Amino acid sequence: MRLLAPASLPRAVFTITASAILIVPALLMSQTPKTRTPGAPLVPADRVNGWRYDIAFWLEQLRKQHYIYKSKPLPASLVKAAADLSRNVPRFSDERVLFEMQRLAAHVGDGHTYVLPLGAERVRGSVIPLRFYLFSDGLFVIDASAGHEGWIGSKLISIGNTSSAVILERMKPAISADNRFGYRWIGPPFLNLRGVIESVADGVTSDSIPVTLRDRAGRLHKLKFASGPPPRMQGVPKLMASRLPGAPAPPIWLRQVEKNFWMSSLSDGAFYVQFNQVRDGDTEPLSQSGAALKQELTAKRPSRVILDVRHNNGGNSYLYPPIIDALTTWERDVPSGKLYVLTGRNTFSAAQNFIAQLDRRTRAVFVGEPSSSKPNFVGEENNLALPWSGAMVSISNRYHENIPGDKREWIEPDLKIELSSSQYFANRDPVLERLVGRASLR
């Protein structure tokens, strides 16, 4: 990526230290802006000063808005990392600076304070044509752009000169997360971003990015992929059914991921409920979904209810009480009933609030992977755009205490089951198969 002209201001103006963070914006405002509207702050025109302005502005907003850091000093590690990034702006591409700002956000220590590494007004962004997912046996390609579908099912060995294992370790501290498990959800989808690759992989020096894959027959391929425009999407994509040619029909948990809420009886008599987003549907509000669930459970009185929230990354916590009411009423009416709650890396935010209430108020047995949040956490997305780059950021300003005094990093599954690549590409679901058997899912 071509870099713009170097900064014309003295370097000392932009040296960010603990005592200077709040002074930098004032110094920058004395420079010649690119544009100015009445009442708006003066923003530098060139990229180096512009990025440094954004860094200082973002730190100042953290001090004003963040639930914890509006009343205590910012972490020393964050202040030092911000100073280092400010000095490195001239030698980093815009895409890398944007991801390094996300790395700064990770110092804050919660999953709702972040800098989006795509979508900045001044940073076009680019990706290689592969999408990765972390299974129990490593990183694999689960999707690819047109013309590259033949690599679906391949295992990622390295990018540049860096192994996939080292890449994951380097990425962990750059992911905004509520717990140590969160990187498994957020990290792999970021690995196709050019700016991320520049940050975590060695030996990436040109527009063609070296990638080593092992195909399904065990053969190694040393490839080069050019990066191109990113797909239009919002947030981290949810897992879809296997796209490997010849794969069997999708398993039940991957059939209707796009629906916020749906339910069905299984052939063995268990009642399956999939809750994918804490939001009202286009045609049915969650209050109506909760009433329908209560009606079904009252009429059928199943001995087992399987509630699947593996795809649920949150929404509006004020909307899920009717679902809780339906389940607690069923437990009261069917004292011998078993409630199984299926959780995973994508279970986050309002969905974490939801499962914490289930943990507190029901006899739920948790199955699957740990969630990506804690029973008690700092949450809420408060979005703003950075003045120069237009990058979208969020600063969390609220504390959610669902279980007073609970210090757990996640709700540990009573039955921990991970998904392997062979199971996924064959459209198998080891979690539901463990609970009801394969025959009941056909």
Side-chain angles (χ1 to χ4, degrees):
M1 175 175 288
R2 182 176 65 88
L3 302 183
L4 302 179
S8 58
L9 294 177
R11 177 179 173 184
V13 170
F14 298 97
T15 299
I16 299 180
T17 64
S19 61
I21 288 173
L22 297 179
I23 300 174
V24 175
L27 292 172
L28 287 169
M29 288 178 188
S30 68
Q31 311 308 318
T32 303
K34 179 179 179 181
T35 59
R36 186 188 183 196
T37 56
L42 299 176
V43 181
D46 67 279
R47 70 169 297 273
V48 174
N49 291 341
W51 274 121
R52 288 170 172 169
Y53 185 99
D54 276 0
I55 294 168
F57 174 87
W58 179 73
L59 292 172
E60 185 178 19
Q61 293 305 307
L62 281 177
R63 289 181 179 275
K64 291 179 177 179
Q65 297 188 38
H66 192 268
Y67 175 81
I68 294 174
Y69 297 108
K70 64 185 177 183
S71 59
K72 63 184 293 187
L74 293 173
S77 63
L78 169 57
V79 175
K80 180 182 183 303
D84 292 342
L85 177 57
S86 184
R87 286 190 292 270
N88 283 322
V89 167
R91 69 184 189 88
F92 286 171
S93 72
D94 286 336
E95 289 178 86
R96 175 156 183 191
V97 174
L98 187 56
F99 179 66
E100 297 299 339
M101 287 205 67
Q102 163 50 42
R103 189 183 291 274
L104 296 183
H107 286 263
V108 176
D110 70 74
H112 288 81
T113 298
Y114 57 78
V115 177
L116 284 180
L118 278 177
E121 183 179 347
R122 289 182 183 261
V123 185
R124 181 176 56 186
S126 60
V127 299
I128 61 174
L130 307 175
R131 176 181 162 192
F132 302 103
Y133 191 88
L134 181 62
F135 297 99
S136 61
D137 50 338
L139 280 161
F140 285 77
V141 179
I142 62 168
D143 200 8
S145 300
H148 302 279
E149 297 94 337
W151 299 114
I152 294 174
S154 299
K155 186 173 185 178
L156 177 65
I157 304 302
S158 63
I159 300 178
N161 301 327
T162 309
S163 71
S164 60
V166 171
I167 283 172
L168 277 175
E169 288 302 310
R170 290 179 177 178
M171 175 171 276
K172 283 181 185 179
I175 301 302
S176 295
D178 288 343
N179 62 32
R180 290 179 288 116
F181 200 72
Y183 81 94
R184 294 192 178 193
W185 171 40
I186 302 292
F190 278 7
L191 275 180
N192 63 359
L193 275 64
R194 171 83 197 202
V196 174
I197 292 171
E198 290 178 6
S199 177
V200 301
D202 302 323
V204 178
T205 58
S206 69
D207 288 337
S208 294
I209 297 175
V211 177
T212 302
L213 300 174
R214 177 178 289 122
D215 67 22
R216 293 180 61 78
R219 297 182 294 261
L220 280 178
H221 300 266
K222 294 183 180 294
L223 310 161
K224 287 191 174 182
F225 293 100
S227 56
R232 297 177 65 89
M233 65 180 188
Q234 292 185 341
V236 179
K238 300 185 182 188
L239 189 62
M240 71 291 189
S242 170
R243 293 188 175 174
L244 195 68
I252 190 170
W253 81 293
L254 296 176
R255 288 178 193 168
Q256 301 187 74
V257 178
E258 74 287 350
K259 294 186 69 172
N260 289 354
F261 185 95
W262 64 276
M263 51 193 169
S264 176
S265 293
L266 301 180
S267 60
D268 75 334
F271 194 76
Y272 179 77
V273 181
Q274 191 169 90
F275 188 15
N276 292 331
Q277 205 74 48
V278 192
R279 296 194 185 280
D280 291 330
D282 293 335
T283 60
E284 181 177 277
L286 270 183
S287 59
Q288 188 174 329
S289 299
L293 174 61
K294 190 172 185 177
Q295 183 177 4
E296 286 288 298
L297 294 179
T298 299
K300 294 179 176 171
R301 297 175 64 87
S303 61
R304 288 177 298 156
V305 173
I306 299 173
L307 175 66
D308 196 339
V309 291
R310 286 178 285 179
H311 302 297
N312 197 326
N313 64 302
N316 183 347
S317 292
Y318 291 105
L319 297 178
Y320 62 63
I323 312 297
I324 299 280
D325 175 62
L327 294 168
T328 54
T329 300
W330 166 77
E331 272 202 338
R332 183 198 66 203
D333 293 344
V334 185
S336 62
K338 288 283 189 180
L339 172 62
Y340 296 95
V341 179
L342 314 188
T343 61
R345 65 190 68 179
N346 205 68
T347 310
F348 181 71
S349 194
Q352 177 66 52
N353 288 336
F354 175 71
I355 65 171
Q357 291 300 317
L358 292 178
D359 187 44
R360 184 179 183 183
R361 299 174 57 187
T362 73
R363 302 185 298 271
V365 175
F366 288 85
V367 186
E369 295 180 324
S371 63
S372 286
S373 192
K374 309 173 183 179
N376 300 323
F377 63 94
V378 175
E380 297 302 307
E381 292 184 356
N382 293 281
N383 297 313
L384 68 151
L386 298 182
W388 183 81
S389 65
M392 295 304 301
V393 309
S394 173
I395 298 174
S396 185
N397 68 352
R398 183 178 176 185
Y399 179 62
H400 296 269
E401 185 159 8
N402 294 288
I403 306 176
D406 196 322
K407 301 296 185 184
R408 288 177 294 175
E409 284 194 85
W410 52 64
I411 296 176
E412 182 69 18
D414 301 285
L415 186 58
K416 191 170 183 178
I417 304 173
E418 294 186 282
L419 180 66
S420 71
S421 64
S422 60
Q423 290 166 331
Y424 170 75
F425 288 115
N427 270 330
R428 297 270 306 276
D429 179 4
V431 177
L432 274 175
E433 287 179 16
R434 181 74 171 271
L435 293 179
V436 301
R438 292 181 68 182
S440 298
L441 298 173
R442 292 172 184 163

